[in-house]
Amino acid sequence: MSKVLLYVYDLSNGLARQLSLPLTGKFIEGIWHTSVVVYEREVYYGQGILESKPGMTHHGNPVRTIECGTTEIPEETFNEYLDDLRSSYTAAKYHLLDFNCNSFTADVVGFLTGHEIPEWITNLPSEFLSTPFGQQLRPQIDQMFGRASNLPHASTSARIPPTASSLLSSVASQAYTPSNGTATPPQQSITSSTTSPLTFSTNLASFTSTLHSHALTFALFTSKSNIITYQVQQAFERIAQEEKRRRTGQQAGKGGDVAFVEVDVDMPTGMEVAKRYGVVDTPGYAFFKGEEKILQLGKTNSTELHEAIRKQIQEHVNRS
């Protein structure tokens, strides 16, 4: 049996508390980074899954320590679980808002204890993006992490106050710094590799956050046990690429932002997402307007899928 702790760090080093109200109109206590301490190890997500001795990471001392219960899962089983996670939690998939350290700790704590991490941690991205300033800053964050943005404010970074831009760069570097403490700017390390237009979700908290922050969300539910998973992923990604490019053209900005999400149901917390929204078979698709599921599809060919996606986007644009 081992105690499971959640270490909470403030990536802003107190600046969020000082600057959030004048910048966003909301008080934000901190920009949270979390890690899990178990078996006398601290594990976290940045440039892949990393670990160190507790309290010895480049983040310094945690501002809070939250007890999440105990686990009876053997350490060897935990190691196998982490190995399974590595294909999902890669450096290239990291995103400060959509798929980050807190997505990882939500998965790990759920696996070890069956408990959830606090909502004030998991809800922070959607809370930030609900503000006009958050929407303005979103394109810069997407660009830093190798993801194209089709929001109408994508070229307005010049209007972002220098203090806020500097804080963002500092937070991003801290969140993504490798365990040896050598800072690697995200925009240099990630965008040098092949990036994907897909958002990756492995638990209900990260999936709900994506729904909150996008006007339309198209979700693909996959399972490695399905032999056609790779072909389906590739087709879905090509559709996402094409729609992202199309929306950066003359329709950019109409109807709000659109997300394409892949959910791995082989992960216990990924299966929770599928059950929550009634997806039984994989590959399967669910379309959302905000948090409302508006369409669900089973196995379909890429042409029919693309037509269905484009129809939903066009209808939404026409209503906007």
PDB file of all heavy atoms in Angstrom, residues 190-204:
ATOM      1  N   ILE A 190       8.599  21.728 -30.232  1.00  0.00           N
ATOM      2  CA  ILE A 190       7.448  20.998 -30.741  1.00  0.00           C
ATOM      3  C   ILE A 190       7.249  21.225 -32.230  1.00  0.00           C
ATOM      4  O   ILE A 190       7.058  20.294 -32.988  1.00  0.00           O
ATOM      5  CB  ILE A 190       6.167  21.395 -29.986  1.00  0.00           C
ATOM      6  CG1 ILE A 190       6.262  20.955 -28.538  1.00  0.00           C
ATOM      7  CG2 ILE A 190       4.943  20.775 -30.627  1.00  0.00           C
ATOM      8  CD1 ILE A 190       5.033  21.231 -27.743  1.00  0.00           C
ATOM      9  N   THR A 191       7.321  22.461 -32.657  1.00  0.00           N
ATOM     10  CA  THR A 191       6.987  22.727 -34.037  1.00  0.00           C
ATOM     11  C   THR A 191       8.037  22.200 -34.992  1.00  0.00           C
ATOM     12  O   THR A 191       7.810  22.161 -36.191  1.00  0.00           O
ATOM     13  CB  THR A 191       6.804  24.242 -34.280  1.00  0.00           C
ATOM     14  OG1 THR A 191       8.003  24.923 -33.868  1.00  0.00           O
ATOM     15  CG2 THR A 191       5.638  24.783 -33.494  1.00  0.00           C
ATOM     16  N   SER A 192       9.180  21.777 -34.497  1.00  0.00           N
ATOM     17  CA  SER A 192      10.181  21.187 -35.362  1.00  0.00           C
ATOM     18  C   SER A 192       9.791  19.767 -35.760  1.00  0.00           C
ATOM     19  O   SER A 192      10.320  19.204 -36.702  1.00  0.00           O
ATOM     20  CB  SER A 192      11.541  21.157 -34.662  1.00  0.00           C
ATOM     21  OG  SER A 192      11.481  20.358 -33.499  1.00  0.00           O
ATOM     22  N   SER A 193       8.847  19.175 -35.038  1.00  0.00           N
ATOM     23  CA  SER A 193       8.364  17.848 -35.375  1.00  0.00           C
ATOM     24  C   SER A 193       7.040  17.963 -36.110  1.00  0.00           C
ATOM     25  O   SER A 193       6.469  19.022 -36.248  1.00  0.00           O
ATOM     26  CB  SER A 193       8.192  17.010 -34.108  1.00  0.00           C
ATOM     27  OG  SER A 193       7.223  17.603 -33.274  1.00  0.00           O
ATOM     28  N   THR A 194       6.564  16.844 -36.610  1.00  0.00           N
ATOM     29  CA  THR A 194       5.277  16.849 -37.289  1.00  0.00           C
ATOM     30  C   THR A 194       4.180  17.018 -36.255  1.00  0.00           C
ATOM     31  O   THR A 194       4.052  16.226 -35.345  1.00  0.00           O
ATOM     32  CB  THR A 194       5.069  15.533 -38.045  1.00  0.00           C
ATOM     33  OG1 THR A 194       6.131  15.376 -38.973  1.00  0.00           O
ATOM     34  CG2 THR A 194       3.750  15.528 -38.777  1.00  0.00           C
ATOM     35  N   THR A 195       3.402  18.067 -36.387  1.00  0.00           N
ATOM     36  CA  THR A 195       2.355  18.340 -35.421  1.00  0.00           C
ATOM     37  C   THR A 195       1.005  17.898 -35.967  1.00  0.00           C
ATOM     38  O   THR A 195       0.807  17.749 -37.159  1.00  0.00           O
ATOM     39  CB  THR A 195       2.303  19.832 -35.073  1.00  0.00           C
ATOM     40  OG1 THR A 195       2.116  20.581 -36.278  1.00  0.00           O
ATOM     41  CG2 THR A 195       3.587  20.271 -34.408  1.00  0.00           C
ATOM     42  N   SER A 196       0.080  17.705 -35.075  1.00  0.00           N
ATOM     43  CA  SER A 196      -1.227  17.192 -35.450  1.00  0.00           C
ATOM     44  C   SER A 196      -2.286  18.238 -35.169  1.00  0.00           C
ATOM     45  O   SER A 196      -2.183  18.989 -34.202  1.00  0.00           O
ATOM     46  CB  SER A 196      -1.520  15.915 -34.649  1.00  0.00           C
ATOM     47  OG  SER A 196      -2.860  15.514 -34.838  1.00  0.00           O
ATOM     48  N   PRO A 197      -3.331  18.293 -36.000  1.00  0.00           N
ATOM     49  CA  PRO A 197      -4.430  19.222 -35.727  1.00  0.00           C
ATOM     50  C   PRO A 197      -5.377  18.669 -34.668  1.00  0.00           C
ATOM     51  O   PRO A 197      -6.342  19.320 -34.309  1.00  0.00           O
ATOM     52  CB  PRO A 197      -5.137  19.313 -37.084  1.00  0.00           C
ATOM     53  CG  PRO A 197      -4.924  17.959 -37.683  1.00  0.00           C
ATOM     54  CD  PRO A 197      -3.532  17.542 -37.245  1.00  0.00           C
ATOM     55  N   LEU A 198      -5.108  17.452 -34.190  1.00  0.00           N
ATOM     56  CA  LEU A 198      -5.997  16.817 -33.225  1.00  0.00           C
ATOM     57  C   LEU A 198      -5.650  17.212 -31.798  1.00  0.00           C
ATOM     58  O   LEU A 198      -4.489  17.361 -31.439  1.00  0.00           O
ATOM     59  CB  LEU A 198      -5.927  15.296 -33.340  1.00  0.00           C
ATOM     60  CG  LEU A 198      -6.204  14.670 -34.704  1.00  0.00           C
ATOM     61  CD1 LEU A 198      -6.137  13.155 -34.594  1.00  0.00           C
ATOM     62  CD2 LEU A 198      -7.547  15.114 -35.254  1.00  0.00           C
ATOM     63  N   THR A 199      -6.693  17.362 -30.989  1.00  0.00           N
ATOM     64  CA  THR A 199      -6.542  17.451 -29.552  1.00  0.00           C
ATOM     65  C   THR A 199      -6.681  16.036 -28.999  1.00  0.00           C
ATOM     66  O   THR A 199      -7.511  15.272 -29.490  1.00  0.00           O
ATOM     67  CB  THR A 199      -7.633  18.357 -28.946  1.00  0.00           C
ATOM     68  OG1 THR A 199      -7.463  19.679 -29.432  1.00  0.00           O
ATOM     69  CG2 THR A 199      -7.546  18.375 -27.423  1.00  0.00           C
ATOM     70  N   PHE A 200      -5.866  15.680 -28.035  1.00  0.00           N
ATOM     71  CA  PHE A 200      -5.932  14.339 -27.461  1.00  0.00           C
ATOM     72  C   PHE A 200      -6.555  14.424 -26.074  1.00  0.00           C
ATOM     73  O   PHE A 200      -6.206  15.297 -25.277  1.00  0.00           O
ATOM     74  CB  PHE A 200      -4.541  13.710 -27.409  1.00  0.00           C
ATOM     75  CG  PHE A 200      -3.954  13.510 -28.773  1.00  0.00           C
ATOM     76  CD1 PHE A 200      -3.212  14.508 -29.378  1.00  0.00           C
ATOM     77  CD2 PHE A 200      -4.184  12.336 -29.479  1.00  0.00           C
ATOM     78  CE1 PHE A 200      -2.695  14.346 -30.651  1.00  0.00           C
ATOM     79  CE2 PHE A 200      -3.671  12.159 -30.749  1.00  0.00           C
ATOM     80  CZ  PHE A 200      -2.921  13.168 -31.339  1.00  0.00           C
ATOM     81  N   SER A 201      -7.472  13.518 -25.803  1.00  0.00           N
ATOM     82  CA  SER A 201      -8.160  13.527 -24.518  1.00  0.00           C
ATOM     83  C   SER A 201      -8.162  12.120 -23.953  1.00  0.00           C
ATOM     84  O   SER A 201      -8.472  11.152 -24.663  1.00  0.00           O
ATOM     85  CB  SER A 201      -9.596  14.030 -24.684  1.00  0.00           C
ATOM     86  OG  SER A 201     -10.261  14.077 -23.447  1.00  0.00           O
ATOM     87  N   THR A 202      -7.800  12.004 -22.692  1.00  0.00           N
ATOM     88  CA  THR A 202      -7.748  10.689 -22.060  1.00  0.00           C
ATOM     89  C   THR A 202      -8.631  10.599 -20.829  1.00  0.00           C
ATOM     90  O   THR A 202      -8.697   9.548 -20.200  1.00  0.00           O
ATOM     91  CB  THR A 202      -6.303  10.358 -21.643  1.00  0.00           C
ATOM     92  OG1 THR A 202      -5.821  11.396 -20.793  1.00  0.00           O
ATOM     93  CG2 THR A 202      -5.397  10.230 -22.851  1.00  0.00           C
ATOM     94  N   ASN A 203      -9.316  11.694 -20.475  1.00  0.00           N
ATOM     95  CA  ASN A 203     -10.194  11.652 -19.307  1.00  0.00           C
ATOM     96  C   ASN A 203     -11.309  12.667 -19.448  1.00  0.00           C
ATOM     97  O   ASN A 203     -11.275  13.554 -20.306  1.00  0.00           O
ATOM     98  CB  ASN A 203      -9.402  11.887 -18.012  1.00  0.00           C
ATOM     99  CG  ASN A 203      -8.634  13.191 -18.035  1.00  0.00           C
ATOM    100  OD1 ASN A 203      -9.229  14.261 -18.062  1.00  0.00           O
ATOM    101  ND2 ASN A 203      -7.309  13.117 -18.052  1.00  0.00           N
ATOM    102  N   LEU A 204     -12.320  12.529 -18.610  1.00  0.00           N
ATOM    103  CA  LEU A 204     -13.518  13.353 -18.712  1.00  0.00           C
ATOM    104  C   LEU A 204     -13.217  14.827 -18.468  1.00  0.00           C
ATOM    105  O   LEU A 204     -13.804  15.697 -19.116  1.00  0.00           O
ATOM    106  CB  LEU A 204     -14.569  12.856 -17.708  1.00  0.00           C
ATOM    107  CG  LEU A 204     -15.992  13.403 -17.864  1.00  0.00           C
ATOM    108  CD1 LEU A 204     -16.530  13.121 -19.251  1.00  0.00           C
ATOM    109  CD2 LEU A 204     -16.902  12.791 -16.804  1.00  0.00           C
TER     110      LEU A 204
END
